[in-house]
Amino acid sequence: MTSDSKGIAQLTTAMILSGTLGVFVVESGASPFDVVFFRVVFGALALGAYVVARGWLRDHGFTPRTLGLAVLGGVFIVFNWVFLFESYENTSISVATVVYHTQPFYVVLLGAVLFRERLTAAKAGWIALAFAGLILVSGVTPADFTSGGTYLTGVGQALLAALLYGLSTLVTKRITGVRPHLIALVQVVVGIPLLLPFADLGAISGTSAGEWGWLAGLGFIHTGLMYVLMYAAYAKLPLSKIAVLAFVYPAVAMGMDWAVYGHHIGLVQALGVPLIVLASLKVTLARTPASAPAPRTAAHAPAAASPTATRAASGA
C-alpha cells in the first residue's frame, strides 16, 4: 500500500468513527456536561498513554506562550463539544452536524476581524452561499422566532459550537514546534478541572455498564484512536484530499441518525447541504495553493506542527 493510499484509509476510518459520535453521545444517556467531562477524562488517558509510549513528553517543545495558547484553545474546544452535544438533544444529529460544519467560515471571518487576515470578495461570496445553505438546512421558519422552542435553541447551539471551534482553531494554529498530539492532550486535560464543577457525578453513579461503555468509547475511540489516525493521515495527504474526505464525517453522521433513530432531513433542507459542501471546499482549498505539498505533522517536521493537523484537534 502506498503512503497516499494508507493516508486515505486512515483518514476515511477516522471520519467514519467521527460520524458515529452522535450515537455514542445519545446512547450514553448522560447530560452534555457529563458526556464531555468523561470524554476528556478517558481521552486524556488514551492520548496520554500514546504520547508516553512514543516518548514525546521528554522533548515536548512547549514554551510558556504556546502552552498558554493550548490551554486557551482547550477552553474553547470543551465548551464547543458541550454546545454541540446539547444541539443533538434539541434538533437531531443530522441537523446539528450539518449546521456545525459552518466551522471553516467562522475561521475565515474571525481571522479577518481579529487578526486582519485578508477576506477576498470570492471568499465572502462563498461564505454568503454557505449561509444560504445553512438557512435551508436548519429548517427554521419565521414562526420559530416568534414561538421560540427547543429546535431554534438547538440550531443556535450548533452555531455557537462552530464559533467556539473557530476561535480554538485560530488560537491553536499559532502554536509551532509542538506535536499536535501534545496540543490535543493539553486541551483535554484542561477540560477536566474546567468541567468538574458542572458535572453531575451523583447522577453518574447510577450509570449502567453499557452506558459507561458509550462514555469510555467517546474518550478512547473518538478522542484517542480517531486523533491518532487523523494526524497520521495528515502527514501523507495533500490538503485537497483532506478537505474532500472531511465530508465523510457528516455523511456518516446523517446515515447513522437515520439508521438508528429514524431521523432524516427534509427535501428542502437537503438542498442546502451541497451549498455548504461546495462553499466549504472552495474556502478551505483557497487557503492553501492546490500545488502545495502535503501538510506535515510535527511527527515529520518537529519545528512546526501542521496547521491542518492542529485544526483537527479542535474538531468533533
Side-chain angles (χ1 to χ4, degrees), residues 91 95 99 134-146 148 150-156 159 268-269:
T91 56
V95 171
V99 171
L134 171 65
I135 293 172
L136 293 174
V137 169
S138 69
V140 173
T141 65
D144 292 313
F145 290 95
T146 57
T150 58
Y151 186 84
L152 183 60
T153 299
V155 171
L159 286 171
V268 174
Q269 290 175 293

Side-chain angles (χ1 to χ4, degrees), residues 177-225:
V178 182
R179 297 177 188 274
H181 308 76
L182 290 168
I183 298 171
L185 177 59
V186 169
Q187 290 177 337
V188 292
V189 168
V190 164
I192 297 174
L194 188 65
L195 294 174
L196 183 59
F198 303 100
D200 186 357
L201 300 183
I204 288 295
S205 62
T207 301
S208 67
E211 290 168 337
W212 274 116
W214 294 110
L215 290 172
L218 286 166
F220 288 106
I221 297 174
H222 295 95
T223 310
L225 175 61

Side-chain angles (χ1 to χ4, degrees), residues 6-196:
K6 186 175 181 180
I8 290 173
Q10 289 171 326
L11 189 54
T12 300
T13 301
M15 293 299 97
I16 290 173
L17 291 176
S18 188
T20 66
L21 177 76
V23 173
F24 275 68
V25 171
V26 173
E27 292 300 312
S28 73
S31 72
F33 274 107
D34 290 343
V35 170
V36 179
F37 175 74
F38 284 102
R39 180 182 185 179
V40 296
V41 168
F42 290 122
L45 291 174
L47 287 172
Y50 182 78
V51 165
V52 169
R54 297 301 298 267
W56 290 341
L57 283 180
R58 289 191 297 272
D59 187 22
H60 52 74
F62 277 116
T63 65
R65 175 184 174 276
T66 56
L67 182 59
L69 289 172
V71 169
L72 179 60
V75 173
F76 290 137
I77 201 61
V78 295
F79 283 108
N80 146 79
W81 286 338
V82 169
F83 284 112
L84 177 61
F85 297 168
E86 286 184 339
S87 181
Y88 290 162
E89 292 185 350
N90 293 322
T91 56
S92 68
I93 295 171
S94 297
V95 171
T97 301
V98 176
V99 171
Y100 183 62
H101 266 72
T102 55
Q103 304 159 345
F105 314 115
Y106 281 111
V107 174
V108 172
L109 292 172
L110 287 168
V113 172
L114 299 178
F115 301 105
R116 297 184 179 180
E117 294 179 357
R118 185 166 175 260
L119 177 60
T120 64
K123 284 183 181 179
W126 288 118
I127 291 172
L129 180 67
F131 280 96
L134 171 65
I135 293 172
L136 293 174
V137 169
S138 69
V140 173
T141 65
D144 292 313
F145 290 95
T146 57
S147 62
T150 58
Y151 186 84
L152 183 60
T153 299
V155 171
Q157 288 167 335
L159 286 171
L160 182 54
L163 175 63
L164 291 171
Y165 166 91
L167 288 168
S168 180
T169 297
L170 289 173
V171 169
T172 305
K173 75 176 186 177
R174 281 163 172 76
I175 301 174
T176 58
V178 182
R179 297 177 188 274
H181 308 76
L182 290 168
I183 298 171
L185 177 59
V186 169
Q187 290 177 337
V188 292
V189 168
V190 164
I192 297 174
L194 188 65
L195 294 174
L196 183 59

Side-chain angles (χ1 to χ4, degrees), residues 263-285:
H263 298 158
H264 60 84
I265 62 176
L267 178 59
V268 174
Q269 290 175 293
L271 295 175
V273 175
L275 299 182
I276 294 176
V277 170
L278 176 62
S280 178
L281 287 173
K282 290 291 186 179
V283 168
T284 300
L285 296 179

